[in-house]
Amino acid sequence: MDALKFKQIFLPLSSQLYAVALRLTGNRQAAEDLVQDTLLRLWMKRDHLPSGFDPAGYSMVTLRNIFLDSKRRRGLEETDQPLERLAVVNDSQADSDADSNDDVALVRQLISKLPPKQRMVITMRDIEGLDSEEMQRVTGLTDINIRTLLSRARSTVRQQFKKLSAYEDR
């Protein structure tokens, strides 16, 4: 993939990547670094990208993986704290974390099955963290339409999640 094609595909996604990175990190500088690292990794793999891939999805997964890798690395850094002060993760905490990750994956799957407009507004609001004015500007929908779609999307996801969770508890 040449540089021009790369720019045309991935640079328009940088604002979406930044919104997700900011939500993950909670820090503007760290979010900017994360987006830069993501674009760098994508550039380095540009000739090995699978054919017919979804650029937005692929870049979001890459961003998330870089974030998780850096988080793991920070968790393994050396420390001068006494051993007694270090937190130890027990099996119940690990199980709880795994369950939480499974729940997030299930919710994302349920969101992906929503009608297109509902999927779009719930993604913009709850995943990308856009406010109502930004959503109106991007979608061209009125505030009332956005609130209605968002309410219906959340209700559907909540109902489906409860239904599937109850089924798994059996």
Side-chain angles (χ1 to χ4, degrees):
M1 176 182 304
D2 65 350
L4 180 61
K5 188 170 183 174
F6 182 87
K7 286 180 186 179
Q8 291 172 341
I9 292 173
F10 289 106
L11 287 185
L13 298 172
S14 62
S15 61
Q16 291 174 329
L17 290 170
Y18 178 75
V20 172
L22 185 59
R23 187 166 182 164
L24 287 172
T25 63
N27 177 316
R28 288 178 186 246
Q29 184 64 42
E32 290 171 2
D33 291 344
L34 186 55
V35 170
Q36 186 174 14
D37 290 345
T38 301
L39 291 174
L40 178 62
R41 183 173 293 175
L42 290 169
W43 172 255
M44 293 171 65
K45 293 184 176 188
R46 71 188 179 280
D47 294 328
H48 305 290
L49 294 173
S51 61
F53 74 102
D54 172 29
Y58 195 83
S59 58
M60 290 297 174
V61 168
T62 302
L63 180 129
R64 191 195 73 185
N65 288 342
I66 292 171
F67 172 75
L68 292 174
D69 289 346
S70 69
K71 191 173 176 183
R72 276 189 220 110
R73 251 185 268 116
R74 278 192 310 253
L76 298 175
E77 289 177 359
E78 292 183 19
T79 180
D80 292 334
Q81 292 183 357
L83 189 58
E84 305 82 47
R85 298 196 67 202
L86 297 176
V88 177
V89 176
N90 60 33
D91 287 341
S92 64
Q93 283 176 311
D95 289 344
S96 175
D97 290 347
D99 289 344
S100 177
N101 289 340
D102 290 344
D103 290 348
V104 169
L106 177 58
V107 168
R108 286 186 185 271
Q109 183 180 18
L110 293 171
I111 289 172
S112 73
K113 293 179 181 179
L114 290 171
K117 285 186 178 181
Q118 288 182 14
R119 182 176 57 239
M120 178 179 58
V121 296
I122 199 169
T123 300
M124 292 172 102
R125 174 62 62 100
D126 295 340
I127 295 175
E128 296 175 5
L130 298 180
D131 64 22
S132 183
E133 290 176 7
E134 292 172 313
M135 291 172 65
Q136 288 176 42
R137 190 174 59 248
V138 171
T139 64
L141 298 172
T142 66
D143 186 48
I144 294 171
N145 288 344
I146 290 172
R147 286 187 292 172
T148 301
L149 288 167
L150 188 59
S151 176
R152 289 179 182 163
R154 286 176 175 164
S155 177
T156 301
V157 169
R158 189 179 310 111
Q159 289 172 355
Q160 292 294 320
F161 183 82
K162 285 180 182 178
K163 187 176 173 181
L164 291 172
S165 295
Y167 178 75
E168 288 177 358
D169 290 341
R170 291 181 187 176

